[in-house]
Amino acid sequence: MLKGKKIVLGVSGGIAVYKAVELLRLYIKAGAEVHVIMTKSAQQFVTPLTFQTLSGNPVHTELFDLFQEKEIGHISLADRADLFVIAPATANLVGKVASGVADDLLTTTIMATKAPVLFVPAMNVNMWENPIYRANEERLKAFGYRFMEPVSGLLACGWEGKGKLPDPEAIFAETLTLLRPQDMEGETVLVTAGPTREELDPVRYLSNYSSGKMGYAIARVARQRGAKVILVTGPTSLCPPAGVDVCRVTSAQQMHSAVMKYVEGVSIIIKSAAVADYRPQARSQEKIKKGDVGNLVIHLEKNPDILAELGRIKGRKILVGFAAETCDLLENAERKLKEKNLDLIVANDVTEKGAGFEVDTNIVRFLFADGRQEKLPQLSKDEVAHALLDRILQVKKAEKGFQA
Ligand code: PMT
């Protein structure tokens, strides 16, 4: 994912330095070339040798060290980097950069680079909330520096609140966002994912095999490409992608309400959720007992067809549906495309090996409103998501050209 990318990882002093070690490991695993710069205080927590061993490169610590400058000077580091990530970034470091102070190797190199810089602060909650720190962060943001918010929890200093360094996986995901072309910047994408559960009684429900992997991949990739993403998700065991607004629902009716709440402010809607078409007519307050009768009859009533309703009110929004089929793939998908007034439908035969529910890959066909069709080979769900977003941007561009 990061092959050929040069990342400078700046590490300033705080208890969270140990998480920077794990972050470095993720970068190396993804194929990046990483150069680490440590401040003096960072070296109080973890030795440079740890970072040197994992990165395979000398760790840079001194501005005026002749040997380090000869090997790879700080200006060369600043010039060659595709991205700077400062994790953890202390209040002191952020304050120094915000004031234009460049009195050590890390601050000097940050000042000298034209690469994007991502600060990942970690500190005591009172320092984080201190108006002096807040003003420094805002000042740097105004200059185009990027920040990730710390997360809440029990802090090393004993206080509880915002100030913990986010998990290395979340920082890694944000890194991908910064390195990808931001071709979806300005778009707000509403993605639905996962199954719905229709309760029968307090212990049973009707549902399907959707794991949420397809929808979560779309949300993750859209975010990485710069979109603002709202993910309305049924129950899944997946971690939501970093930087995405998540709304959790259980039933089709709840998904309907959530989608209708967000629809106004979005430009693209992608409905990959596997929504139950029917729900039990009545939910039993108590667990249904086995009883004497051999068969149990459950009466079902129709759920709202969320996609069809969106098709009626979509206006200029791009509306994308999925079709999960077990036979007559194209005929069924084509009918849904027309009946639900979609711009594009993604058809998958869920009986095909490597496609549909639960697996990490999918085999899809795109059917467009203008009659075009396109078959994709078996791809990872992230790759399908990228291909889908590419096509959506093409449709948007064509519509713009048509209107102009
Ligand atoms: O989650 P995974 O395990 O990764 O699996 C991925 C997937 C198989 C769930 C996904 O690729 C997929 O096909 N999603 C659509 C599943 C589905 O419900 O298909 P459908 O053909 O029944 O519905 C057609 C479209 O109408 C879908 O966009 C669906 O979200 C929408 N719908 C359906 C019923 C309903 N009451 N409201 C809806 O909005």
Side-chain angles (χ1 to χ4, degrees), residues 192-197 207-216 233-238 255 272-275 324 356-359 381:
T192 68
T196 63
R197 286 181 186 169
S207 191
N208 57 66
Y209 291 111
S210 173
S211 63
K213 286 180 181 173
M214 189 65 252
Y216 277 55
T233 174
T236 76
S237 58
L238 303 176
M255 184 170 280
S272 71
V275 187
F357 297 116
E358 294 180 304
V359 288
K381 283 183 172 165

Side-chain angles (χ1 to χ4, degrees), residues 192-199 205-208 232-235 248-260 271 273-280 301-307 309:
T192 68
T196 63
R197 286 181 186 169
E198 311 302 320
E199 274 192 33
Y205 55 82
L206 303 178
S207 191
N208 57 66
V232 175
T233 174
R248 293 177 199 278
V249 297
T250 303
S251 66
Q253 283 176 303
Q254 287 171 3
M255 184 170 280
H256 174 261
S257 307
V259 167
M260 294 307 156
K271 283 222 72 257
V275 187
D277 286 321
Y278 292 91
R279 64 176 181 271
E301 64 186 351
K302 243 187 174 163
N303 268 327
D305 188 326
I306 309 166
L307 189 59
E309 193 171 329

Side-chain angles (χ1 to χ4, degrees), residues 64-72:
F64 298 114
D65 183 300
L66 290 179
F67 180 73
Q68 285 188 9
E69 271 300 294
K70 182 169 156 283
E71 285 293 293
I72 175 167

